[in-house]
Amino acid sequence: MDERDELGDLQMPAFLLEDPDVEILEEYDPDIPASNPLEYLQRVRREAEKCPSVVVADIDVATFKDKQTVLVSPSTGFIPAEEGFAPTVPAQRKLAAQFSNVRQAYRRHLQNKKKGKADQEPKLKLPAMKDESGWKQLCLGCGVSPEGSVEDGEEGRLEEGQGATTDNKKEGRPPSVHILITMDQWTVIQVLDFHITWLQRHGFSTIQAQWLYALMVCLEKPLYPDTAASLRTLSRCCSAIRATLDSKEDDRLAPLNLLICLVSRYFDQGDLADT
């Protein structure tokens, strides 16, 4: 093995320090200057060979703690389920597979609409994309005050002609294929963000679980980074609500587990999965 092989490709010399007329010095007096350029380069080589391959600085990091401005926590904020409160991993995979089938059915409805083959239904007037109050009236049956509080009944109803539907029932309107295929992707993402905000403000309900599931069906993959972040927030909120449940018979447990499962198993947020 020659000198090039010993040094490897990353440290291959530009030229070899060999000359039959020049003596290779194993030892030399560093106080005496080199007699020629080749001898000088040989000295440099000998000094380099004495250096260790890896050098680690001995630094006292404690002196920098008071200067640290950003603290990154390894915690995801996800609260693992207590024993018996989460589905098994095989059950989660089955739920993700069923969800995939629902998404495929939704895609078929969407394609039929584009081809003009969808069933003829009355034209649906939905709230404007940014109309949070209108969407809350439609989905949950209540409006949103400027402060974000819930307004039920007459006080929460929107006036006709402001982008809301005329269906102002207090219970809210469950998601339907007709509504979902009318919404474009940006509207789906915006309404999903609305629902996550409402979940944080007002808690969890069955009708909201239906809407969250339906909106996730409509999401296109790969996800936008902001959408992935929103789903992670949703999973953390659901895990926090689940942690407050006292009984496995609570009606909220199954839909909460379903949403957590879909975020982790279908939308590839594996660090938020129940294991």
Side-chain angles (χ1 to χ4, degrees):
M1 181 179 294
D2 60 19
E3 187 178 7
R4 291 177 183 270
D5 295 330
E6 292 177 355
L7 293 173
D9 293 339
L10 295 179
Q11 293 181 317
M12 184 178 294
F15 55 89
L16 300 180
L17 303 181
E18 298 177 356
D19 190 327
D21 299 329
V22 176
E23 179 184 2
I24 298 179
L25 302 175
E26 296 297 337
E27 296 183 2
Y28 55 89
D29 186 351
D31 295 330
I32 302 177
S35 59
N36 57 67
L38 190 55
E39 182 181 341
Y40 171 78
L41 293 176
Q42 287 178 356
R43 291 188 182 190
V44 174
R45 171 63 56 79
R46 294 295 177 264
E47 292 177 6
E49 290 173 349
K50 295 177 182 178
C51 295
S53 300
V54 178
V55 179
V56 179
D58 184 13
I59 301 176
D60 182 11
V61 296
T63 59
F64 299 101
K65 287 186 177 180
D66 59 339
K67 300 178 181 179
Q68 185 172 353
T69 57
V70 178
L71 180 61
V72 179
S73 172
S75 174
T76 62
F78 179 80
I79 303 176
E82 295 183 8
E83 184 177 357
F85 275 75
T88 63
V89 173
Q92 293 178 49
R93 291 172 179 163
K94 184 176 180 180
L95 289 172
Q98 293 171 346
F99 180 72
S100 179
N101 293 335
V102 174
R103 282 172 60 89
Q104 292 177 15
Y106 163 76
R107 295 298 173 194
R108 288 193 292 271
H109 283 289
L110 205 57
Q111 291 298 324
N112 289 338
K113 178 194 174 186
K114 292 179 180 179
K115 296 177 181 178
K117 297 181 181 179
D119 295 337
Q120 297 296 325
E121 296 188 31
K123 188 175 180 180
L124 185 64
K125 185 178 181 181
L126 297 176
M129 184 177 70
K130 297 287 187 179
D131 183 6
E132 182 178 358
S133 182
W135 281 108
K136 195 165 191 178
Q137 179 72 46
L138 172 67
C139 301
L140 306 181
C142 50
V144 180
S145 70
E147 295 78 17
S149 61
V150 182
E151 297 177 345
D152 293 325
E154 293 295 329
E155 294 180 357
R157 292 181 180 176
L158 298 177
E159 295 182 4
E160 195 172 345
Q162 293 183 345
T165 63
T166 57
D167 183 10
N168 288 326
K169 293 187 297 182
K170 186 175 181 179
E171 295 78 11
R173 182 170 181 172
S176 66
V177 173
H178 185 38
I179 294 176
L180 297 177
I181 63 176
T182 305
M183 301 168 64
D184 60 31
Q185 187 63 194
W186 295 113
T187 302
V188 169
I189 293 172
Q190 180 63 74
V191 177
L192 176 64
D193 287 340
F194 285 155
H195 273 278
I196 295 172
T197 300
W198 301 334
L199 177 64
Q200 294 172 306
R201 288 178 183 170
H202 313 305
F204 188 75
S205 63
T206 301
I207 186 69
Q208 191 172 28
Q210 295 174 5
W211 270 100
L212 286 166
Y213 183 92
L215 293 169
M216 290 165 70
V217 167
C218 302
L219 287 178
E220 296 177 356
K221 293 181 72 176
L223 299 174
Y224 293 103
D226 288 346
T227 307
S230 295
L231 290 181
R232 292 179 65 84
T233 300
L234 170 62
S235 180
R236 288 192 289 266
C237 289
C238 289
S239 72
I241 296 172
R242 181 179 62 182
T244 66
L245 303 182
D246 297 324
S247 171
K248 301 176 186 177
E249 306 303 322
D250 195 302
D251 292 338
R252 294 171 293 173
L253 181 59
L256 286 170
N257 279 335
L258 176 58
L259 295 174
I260 292 171
C261 169
L262 296 180
V263 172
S264 61
R265 302 293 177 182
Y266 189 86
F267 290 104
D268 307 317
Q269 306 302 313
D271 59 325
L272 302 179
D274 288 313
T275 55

